[in-house]
Amino acid sequence: MAGELPPDARMRASRAEYARRMNRVLDYIDQHLDQALDLAQLADVANFSRFHFHRIFAAWMGETLGDYARRRRLETAASRLARGSGEPVLEIALACGFGSGEAFARAFKQQFGCTPSEWRAGAPQRAAALLAALHSNPDQVHSNAGQARPRPPGDHDGSLTLYGETEMDVHIADLPAVRVAYQRLIGPYGPQIGVFWRQTMAPWMQSHGLDGQLCYGVGHDDPSVTPPDKCRYDACVTVPEGFLPTGPVSLATLPGGRYAVARFKGQPQTIGNAWMWLTREWLASSGLQCDDRPSFERFDPAGSFDPATGDMICDICIPVRAL
């Protein structure tokens, strides 16, 4: 039949459509953690059969819908507890979809082996342990935690020494909302993100005339909380109004608002160290706190790499509000 795709192309197109639909569901769940998640409603979001959706979800994600939603609620709560913002535990529990503080405490202890209050108190020790683990793992991120210096309280602007002789400028900016097309990688943060950009996202961008557009990398999960094989990363590119995605690509809007913006220039394996100290040291000394918008890396593909030094160049953007 004229115009019919060959079998391999049909298979790729079908898998791409499944990826788009499942990403819609995952995004919807994250945006509605404080609400009851109805199976039929989620099936409609994905445009899958209500009768078969639970089985499709479990096969695609490797966990049932109920287990996934519970894990995301608890991981989100754990990240909020670790911010040091002083939010009441009950307020966090309700915001993450738990009906009472008691139900939240039971589920939290079952997941993480400690109470929410103990988790909050142990945040500095976990951060130090994660830095030590990153330092000892050459496939992830090298760090020199002892060389970092916290910023003076309330000082939001200027530069921050992170490691060695490297400094980052940190300033507060109001960023506009941005419409992006994205492809999602699920798995450990680290070198495979670069491979995903080079082998998957960049060829797609070039084939759609987007290789000169501003790009964003969005890591949705805290690797100190979420299992490595469950971490989600979105490779995003700015798209014009009316753009229609093809292949395994979905559309999203990165929200605008107030961000702490830090220019990073350094070896790619050190960017995890930069993220760690910005969120654990600079932020704690800034008089600000994170809110629930996503953090991201922003870069111009044409100027994101220095061939002479091998340095990566990007802006680390962290959503902030007053304490």
Side-chain angles (χ1 to χ4, degrees):
M1 181 176 178
E4 185 175 335
L5 293 173
D8 285 352
R10 286 201 304 272
M11 186 181 300
R12 289 193 299 270
S14 176
R15 187 169 182 81
E17 179 62 19
Y18 265 70
R20 280 196 298 270
R21 295 189 190 188
M22 294 305 298
N23 285 339
R24 283 204 304 267
V25 173
L26 301 186
D27 294 342
Y28 182 92
I29 290 172
D30 264 16
Q31 294 159 10
H32 297 84
L33 290 176
D34 60 336
Q35 303 173 21
L37 295 169
D38 179 69
L39 176 65
Q41 185 177 21
L42 293 175
D44 291 346
V45 169
N47 196 25
F48 279 127
S49 161
R50 293 183 176 188
F51 183 77
H52 295 291
F53 179 66
H54 193 281
R55 181 176 295 177
I56 292 171
F57 186 95
W60 189 267
M61 295 301 301
E63 56 189 327
T64 67
L65 178 60
D67 287 345
Y68 178 85
R70 178 179 178 276
R71 177 171 64 80
R72 286 299 305 133
R73 286 185 166 117
L74 289 168
E75 289 171 355
T76 300
S79 293
R80 290 176 68 157
L81 286 165
R83 288 177 188 169
S85 62
E87 274 185 290
V89 171
L90 179 58
E91 184 177 313
I92 292 175
L94 296 176
C96 294
F98 291 90
S100 68
E102 292 78 8
F104 173 60
R106 287 195 301 271
F108 195 93
K109 189 163 187 177
Q110 183 179 10
Q111 179 78 8
F112 296 109
C114 64
T115 67
S117 296
E118 290 169 342
W119 178 270
R120 171 178 274 163
Q125 291 78 13
R126 288 194 308 277
L130 181 58
L131 278 174
L134 292 173
H135 178 66
S136 66
N137 186 349
D139 291 329
Q140 296 294 319
V141 179
H142 304 286
S143 64
N144 295 302
Q147 297 175 352
R149 298 290 183 269
R151 298 185 58 75
D155 182 7
H156 311 164
D157 294 284
S159 62
L160 172 66
T161 300
L162 292 172
Y163 43 82
E165 299 300 320
T166 302
E167 291 190 348
M168 298 175 67
D169 287 328
V170 184
H171 65 280
I172 305 302
D174 288 318
L175 303 183
V178 181
R179 190 68 168 163
V180 298
Y182 71 90
Q183 296 195 56
R184 178 164 292 167
L185 174 68
I186 298 180
Y189 295 155
Q192 71 168 341
I193 288 177
V195 175
F196 186 68
W197 272 104
R198 290 190 300 272
Q199 297 184 359
T200 302
M201 191 62 180
W204 181 89
M205 288 166 52
Q206 187 172 27
S207 69
H208 288 76
L210 298 170
D211 44 335
Q213 297 296 312
L214 203 61
C215 292
Y216 299 82
V218 184
H220 291 282
D221 299 297
D222 181 345
S224 68
V225 176
T226 301
D229 64 325
K230 303 294 186 184
C231 287
R232 297 162 299 155
Y233 176 89
D234 289 349
C236 310
V237 59
T238 307
V239 294
E241 190 71 28
F243 180 85
L244 296 177
T246 63
V249 175
S250 301
L251 294 176
T253 298
L254 297 181
R258 196 181 192 203
Y259 286 81
V261 181
R263 172 53 60 99
F264 172 83
K265 182 178 181 181
Q267 294 296 299
Q269 66 268 25
T270 64
I271 195 168
N273 184 47
W275 273 103
M276 182 64 68
W277 281 103
L278 280 167
T279 53
R280 305 293 186 184
E281 291 290 341
W282 179 86
L283 193 62
S285 304
S286 69
L288 301 169
Q289 61 180 312
C290 285
D291 63 25
D292 292 331
R293 292 169 293 157
S295 299
F296 50 79
E297 295 159 7
R298 178 182 64 183
F299 59 93
D300 178 352
S304 63
F305 180 72
D306 184 341
T309 63
D311 283 347
M312 172 184 176
I313 305 164
C314 70
D315 292 323
I316 297 176
C317 303
I318 302 173
V320 294
R321 60 181 175 90
L323 280 171

